[in-house]
């Protein structure tokens, strides 16, 4: 009697790199061919692993189906793998060698639906290695072509291909409701809101309640940032907000690999799309993100109280901190937070109601900003002309370097002055409103702090012993113009 042959347990692996329709039709066609192979060979299909719309070219890409298959093979749950084509299984020579080792050491059978690979023979293994090497080389050539195409698109100011930026479609058209949120994010951060507060507002966190008779309760979250689902479906966090604020595309500049693309003269390449924020605002946001003081002193990080880090100790001049329900400077001052805040807010309202308020406001000089922008362009043109003259042997290297260094130094000073024109943006929406007092009453915490910081300095001195009522003389609120003249060591 003939000996009964042992049944081969087969696993089917299915994958396509991109499912354009999302219907999985290509995967189903692969499944039909692979199941036909199993029937023809008399194998029993014990598992099917699927990775739909996932590439195998990137070795760092997670393929859940593939990873489960590797784990199940380690547990000896199947004896053979059937895939439609070898490159459906892997495009990584290293991964292929792992399967070849499994075929030679443990007898794993690997066949493809088109019969191109059979690791049970030396000829099949040779063919598999050759095909994997050719496939890998084509991936590298394709990557080089795509990189060159992206550089060319960036140099022309065309929108980059791939994942679209929030606020834009893939071809650079504006998505109105997303664009509104992007503008609000930039504005809120420039006004002093923290990254965490902006992320919470985008997630829909509730604002702090305010009592009309007691302005000591202010909105911790920025009031103008709308709720917006993130592009990846995950919760917003400070890192994702920072990535948006760092993106020069929003200022209308072309970008490649996270950097602004510049032309031969060093000027930023203008993108072929409408910017969502001004370049001046974008530069101010970068300055604030890079400010060491913001990172080391918590300026611009989470503040939950009006005066913490803003009011000064009248004894030593250091910013006071929140301590329970009080403001505190260790060894010098311990004052009731609600009493101090109420007094300061009333004083700020009085300043905002003054008819000469305009004299206290920072001046935004858009005309000067344009002059500075043109001056920077002229300096970059100087560098370009000098480079051309050097190439044409009209000037020597030392003269070219002298011109270049001089122009770059001038650009540095011009850009620094240009940034100073944005100072005051944090409080501008309140200070330049038709009714500054009303605008202040509806400001969020960051805006209220910015207004206080713009208009005055607040110094807290120790309260007289035995007195519970607030003594206004122990809180010195000095307008900025008279601040230097009011320096003192005691009340």
């Amino acid at each position: 009697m003939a000996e009964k042959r042992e049944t081969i347990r087969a696993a089917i692996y299915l994958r396509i790199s991109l499912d354009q329709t999302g219907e999985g039709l290509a995967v189903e066609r692969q499944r039909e061919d692979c199941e036909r192979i199993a029937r023809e060979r008399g194998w029993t299909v014990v598992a099917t692993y699927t990775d739909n719309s996932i590439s195998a070219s990137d070795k760092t890409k997670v393929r859940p189906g593939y990873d489960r298959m590797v784990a199940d093979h380690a547990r000896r749950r199947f004896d053979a793998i059937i895939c439609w084509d070898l490159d459906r299984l892997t495009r990584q020579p290293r991964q292929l060698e792992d399967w070849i080792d499994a075929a030679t050491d443990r007898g794993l059978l690997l066949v493809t639906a088109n019969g191109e690979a059979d690791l049970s023979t030396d000829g099949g293994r040779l063919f598999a290695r050759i095909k994997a090497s050719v496939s890998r080389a084509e991936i590298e050539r394709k990557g080089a072509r795509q990189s060159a195409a992206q550089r060319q698109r960036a140099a022309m100011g065309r929108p980059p291909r791939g994942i679209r930026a929030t606020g834009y479609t893939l071809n650079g058209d504006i998505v109105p409701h997303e664009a509104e949120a992007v503008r609000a994010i930039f504005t809120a951060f420039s006004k002093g809101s923290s990254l965490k507060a902006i992320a919470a507002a985008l997630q829909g966190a509730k604002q702090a309640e305010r009592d009309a008779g007691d302005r000591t309760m202010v909105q911790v979250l920025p009031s103008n940032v709308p709720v917006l689902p993130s592009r990846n479906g995950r919760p917003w966090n400070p890192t994702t907000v920072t990535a948006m604020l760092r993106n020069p595309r929003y200022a209308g500049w072309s970008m490649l690999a996270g950097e602004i693309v510049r032309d031969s003269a060093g000027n930023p390449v203008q993108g072929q799309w409408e910017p969502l924020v001004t370049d001046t605002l974008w530069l101010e946001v970068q300055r604030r993100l890079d400010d060491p003081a913001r990172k080391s002193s918590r300026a611009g990080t989470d503040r939950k109280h009006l005066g913490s880090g803003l009011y000064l100790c009248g004894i030593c001049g250091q910013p006071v901190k929140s301590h329970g329900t009080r403001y505190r400077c260790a060894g010098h001052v311990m004052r009731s937070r609600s009493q101090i805040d109420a007094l300061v807010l009333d004083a700020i309202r009085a300043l905002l109601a003054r008819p000469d308020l305009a004299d206290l406001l920072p001046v935004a000089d858009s005309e000067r900003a344009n002059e500075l922008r043109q001056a920077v362009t002229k300096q970059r043109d100087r560098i370009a002309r000098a480079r051309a003259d050097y190439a044409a042997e009209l000037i020597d290297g030392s003269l070219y370097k002298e011109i270049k260094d001089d122009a770059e130094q001038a650009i540095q000073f011009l850009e620094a002055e240009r940034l100073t024109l944005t100072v005051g943006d944090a409080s501008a929406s309140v200070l330049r409103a038709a009714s500054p007092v009303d605008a202040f009453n509806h400001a969020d915490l960051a805006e209220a702090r910015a207004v206080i910081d713009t208009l005055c300095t607040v110094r807290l001195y120790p309260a007289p012993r035995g007195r519970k009522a607030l003594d206004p003389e122990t809180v010195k609120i000095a307008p900025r113009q008279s601040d230097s003249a009011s320096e003192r060591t005691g009340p």
Side-chain angles (χ1 to χ4, degrees):
M1 179 182 292
E3 185 177 340
K4 187 176 179 181
R5 186 179 64 178
E6 182 180 354
T7 301
I8 299 296
R9 300 168 301 165
I12 293 177
Y13 180 70
L14 312 171
R15 184 189 65 80
I16 63 170
S17 298
L18 179 62
D19 185 355
Q20 297 281 11
T21 66
E23 297 175 348
L25 298 179
V27 162
E28 286 306 309
R29 288 193 293 271
Q30 290 182 26
R31 185 194 306 272
E32 293 172 3
D33 289 343
C34 291
E35 288 177 346
R36 175 181 53 80
I37 291 296
R39 288 194 301 270
E40 291 175 351
R41 297 199 174 206
W43 294 352
T44 300
V45 176
V46 295
T48 299
Y49 306 90
T50 303
D51 286 316
N52 194 33
S53 203
I54 298 179
S55 172
S57 300
D58 185 354
K59 63 183 178 181
T60 64
K61 183 76 70 174
V62 175
R63 290 193 282 161
Y66 181 88
D67 292 341
R68 286 197 303 273
M69 182 175 66
V70 171
D72 285 349
H73 173 258
R75 300 185 185 100
R76 299 181 180 273
R77 292 184 177 178
F78 53 82
D79 312 303
I81 296 176
I82 306 172
C83 55
W84 189 80
D85 191 279
L86 185 61
D87 64 7
R88 297 302 88 193
L89 179 66
T90 182
R91 289 177 177 265
Q92 303 296 324
R94 178 60 263 175
Q95 290 180 347
L96 175 62
E97 289 299 325
D98 290 338
W99 292 117
I100 289 177
D101 289 344
T104 56
D105 298 342
R106 294 174 52 180
L108 175 74
L109 303 175
L110 191 153
V111 297
T112 63
N114 55 20
E116 289 183 354
D118 187 341
L119 300 188
S120 63
T121 68
D122 59 350
R125 291 191 290 271
L126 175 62
F127 183 86
R129 289 187 173 107
I130 293 173
K131 183 169 183 179
S133 296
V134 171
S135 177
R136 187 65 197 170
E138 176 55 29
I139 290 170
E140 293 173 354
R141 286 193 295 270
K142 181 180 178 181
R145 291 195 301 269
Q146 290 176 338
S147 296
Q150 287 284 38
R151 289 193 298 270
Q152 185 181 40
R153 289 179 65 86
M156 296 171 63
R158 297 174 63 186
R161 289 180 175 173
I163 299 176
R164 70 178 181 88
T166 299
Y168 293 108
T169 63
L170 277 175
N171 62 4
D173 295 333
I174 289 177
V175 181
H177 74 283
E178 291 184 359
E180 177 186 355
V182 171
R183 295 187 187 100
I185 290 169
F186 274 86
T187 301
F189 187 75
S190 72
K191 290 179 178 179
S193 292
S194 71
L195 297 171
K196 188 173 182 180
I198 293 172
L202 289 167
Q203 285 296 115
K206 293 182 179 180
Q207 304 281 356
E209 295 181 357
R210 296 178 298 164
D211 187 296
D214 182 1
R215 188 57 173 80
T216 62
M217 289 291 289
V218 295
Q219 298 185 83
V220 174
L221 303 185
S223 56
N224 65 325
V225 174
V227 177
L228 181 70
S230 66
R231 297 293 319 289
N232 58 16
R234 300 179 186 136
W236 287 93
N237 57 62
T239 300
T240 53
V241 174
T242 299
M244 179 177 289
L245 294 172
R246 288 291 193 189
N247 193 337
R249 287 190 63 191
Y250 294 120
W253 290 326
S254 185
M255 180 187 73
L256 183 65
E259 300 292 335
I260 296 174
V261 178
R262 298 183 181 275
D263 59 22
S264 59
N267 294 306
V269 173
Q270 294 295 317
Q272 298 179 26
W273 57 83
E274 181 181 344
L276 298 187
V277 301
T278 65
D279 57 354
T280 305
L281 175 58
W282 188 86
L283 287 169
E284 165 61 14
V285 166
Q286 308 317 299
R287 184 193 65 78
R288 186 161 179 261
L289 285 170
D290 294 333
D291 185 2
R294 186 183 70 88
K295 302 170 184 176
S296 61
S297 67
R298 296 185 75 239
T301 59
D302 294 313
R303 295 293 188 183
K304 297 181 179 180
H305 304 293
L306 193 66
S308 56
L310 179 61
Y311 303 160
L312 304 178
C313 171
I315 304 300
C316 67
Q318 294 299 309
V320 299
K321 299 179 180 179
S322 293
H323 184 78
T325 62
R326 299 173 181 272
Y327 289 125
R328 174 176 179 265
C329 178
H332 296 153
V333 172
M334 181 76 80
R335 306 299 306 271
S336 168
R337 190 172 65 240
S338 60
Q339 288 183 330
I340 298 297
D341 285 349
L343 180 68
V344 170
L345 291 167
D346 285 342
I348 294 299
R349 291 192 190 96
L351 284 174
L352 292 173
R354 283 170 49 170
D356 61 344
L357 175 64
D359 295 337
L360 307 177
L361 304 187
V363 178
D365 192 343
S366 58
E367 183 177 348
R368 177 57 180 163
N370 288 331
E371 291 175 356
L372 292 170
R373 188 180 295 108
Q374 293 172 6
V376 168
T377 300
K378 288 181 179 179
Q379 293 298 329
R380 295 198 187 280
D381 289 343
R382 279 184 65 200
I383 296 175
R385 288 195 302 270
R387 185 185 297 113
D389 289 345
Y390 176 67
E393 299 183 353
L394 298 177
I395 60 175
D396 60 18
S398 61
L399 181 56
Y400 166 62
K401 184 178 185 302
E402 180 181 344
I403 296 173
K404 179 174 177 291
D405 290 347
D406 181 68
E408 288 180 344
Q409 184 178 22
I411 289 171
Q412 184 178 356
F413 284 116
L414 291 166
E415 292 286 19
E417 181 182 351
R418 190 175 168 206
L419 275 179
T420 64
L421 297 180
T422 67
V423 174
D425 280 350
S427 57
S429 61
V430 171
L431 297 177
R432 298 194 180 98
S435 174
V437 175
D438 288 344
F440 182 69
N441 288 337
H442 291 86
D444 58 43
L445 178 64
E447 290 175 299
R449 288 169 55 88
V451 171
I452 295 172
D453 192 38
T454 298
L455 294 181
C456 62
T457 55
V458 179
R459 288 180 170 80
L460 309 183
Y461 295 90
R465 292 183 177 275
R467 291 188 58 178
K468 293 185 178 180
L470 174 66
D471 181 358
E473 291 299 315
T474 62
V475 181
K476 297 300 180 181
I477 304 172
R480 285 291 183 186
Q481 292 92 329
S482 59
D483 191 37
S484 60
S486 63
E487 294 288 345
R488 53 185 297 178
T489 58

